Amino acid sequence: MAEVTSRCVGPIILMGPPGAGKGTQAKLIAERYGIPQISTGDLLREHVCKGTSLGLQAKEIMARGQLVPDELLYGMVAERLREADCDPGFILDGFPRTPGQAGWLDEFLKHELFDKSNPGKCLPIVVQIDVDYNDLLSRLTGRRSCPACGTIYNVHLQPPRVDELCDLDGSKLVTRNDDREEVIRERLQTYEKLTRPVIDYYGRQGRVALVNGALPVDQVSEQIFHEIERHGC
Ligand code: AP5
């Protein structure tokens, strides 16, 4: 069982292209600091599975590898961030992804989450996970995940002990609908066009910590933990 560090760490925003390891690292940060991972991709996939109105609107857009319009996300994200488990901090995995979303998040945090007498106290730390384009392709085409517990594997790089079965609960692993080569290319282009400016936005505020995501998972985590500890709250 991994060590849990129990203290307020504030919001952590994980940025990086599709396949950079945001989901993998978010789970490890969540385990270490006892704070929730909030993945807008996972939340949207849940809506798609349940066939909600949001899910119906998002389904085709996600299958094409494009971004769901900003206004469709705000209610979903706000509702999740207002849950009590987010009070000591949370990890945003896949949000914000456009300058509009980043501006919305700043306003949300200012008005709803920060201690109003000291609004700078818990500014988010933005961790940018950097990985080469070719590595991203092999990570995404090889990704499998457990539909029951969410554990992420990779058939080339981090295979399960038994082919196609989750190490933790034995469920049959699944491939994401958008991990097809033509869709992956679209997702990577969308990232460069719409999400890269968000990193620039945070960069101008001096908030971005760059980590080398090409290293093994545990070494990437070490860099992230170091940045979180350095940032404090
Ligand atoms: P989302 O689910 O957020 O997908 P993504 O950003 O494309 O990122 P991924 O989940 O593909 O990659 P990851 O960085 O989490 O990598 P992972 O840890 O899995 O979004 C999906 C869609 O939802 C979007 O396209 C959009 O349509 C919609 N959406 C979501 N949020 C939105 C928003 N805010 N606005 C609008 N639309 C939104 O790792 C990948 C693989 O690499 C795995 O196999 C893993 O085992 C392996 N791996 C990880 N780390 C390492 C390592 N260090 N070494 C070797 N292998 C590694």
Side-chain angles (χ1 to χ4, degrees), residues 19 22-24 40 66 94 97 101 143 153 158 187 215:
K22 301 181 296 296
T24 301
T40 43
Q66 293 164 349
R97 256 169 142 107
Q101 292 178 16
R143 173 167 54 189
Y153 298 89
Q158 295 174 302
R187 286 163 61 202
L215 297 173

Side-chain angles (χ1 to χ4, degrees), residues 88-211:
F90 50 84
I91 307 143
L92 281 171
D93 159 11
F95 188 94
R97 256 169 142 107
T98 63
Q101 292 178 16
W104 177 89
L105 181 66
D106 276 352
E107 284 303 302
F108 183 87
L109 294 177
K110 193 158 110 200
H111 294 299
E112 296 220 24
L113 287 186
F114 292 159
D115 171 359
K116 292 201 167 94
S117 63
N118 185 6
K121 193 171 145 203
C122 264
L123 278 176
I125 175 169
V126 181
V127 176
Q128 181 193 351
I129 307 178
D130 190 38
V131 179
D132 280 352
Y133 186 84
N134 287 336
D135 287 345
L136 296 173
L137 282 182
S138 73
R139 285 187 184 189
L140 290 168
T141 50
R143 173 167 54 189
R144 303 287 182 275
S145 55
C146 173
C149 70
T151 303
I152 303 168
Y153 298 89
N154 191 289
V155 292
H156 314 299
L157 307 159
Q158 295 174 302
R161 282 195 293 269
V162 179
D163 233 16
E164 300 294 330
L165 297 183
C166 179
D167 290 350
L168 304 183
D169 55 34
S171 303
K172 178 139 179 51
L173 302 180
V174 293
T175 304
R176 254 169 60 175
N177 187 31
D178 56 355
D179 278 347
R180 287 169 288 129
E181 208 154 324
E182 66 281 13
V183 184
I184 291 171
R185 285 185 202 285
E186 173 69 28
R187 286 163 61 202
L188 290 169
Q189 280 170 14
T190 302
Y191 174 81
E192 286 303 327
K193 195 164 136 208
L194 298 176
T195 308
R196 183 75 69 182
V198 179
I199 296 179
D200 299 340
Y201 168 82
Y202 287 129
R204 286 192 293 275
Q205 299 169 23
R207 282 202 247 164
V208 178
L210 181 68
V211 303

Side-chain angles (χ1 to χ4, degrees), residues 15-51:
M15 305 276 321
K22 301 181 296 296
T24 301
Q25 294 300 330
K27 286 178 179 50
L28 296 168
I29 302 168
E31 205 176 307
R32 181 171 172 111
Y33 293 100
I35 57 175
Q37 168 194 12
I38 298 169
S39 156
T40 43
D42 287 347
L43 291 172
L44 286 167
R45 281 184 287 276
E46 271 175 39
H47 277 273
V48 171
C49 258
K50 289 182 186 153

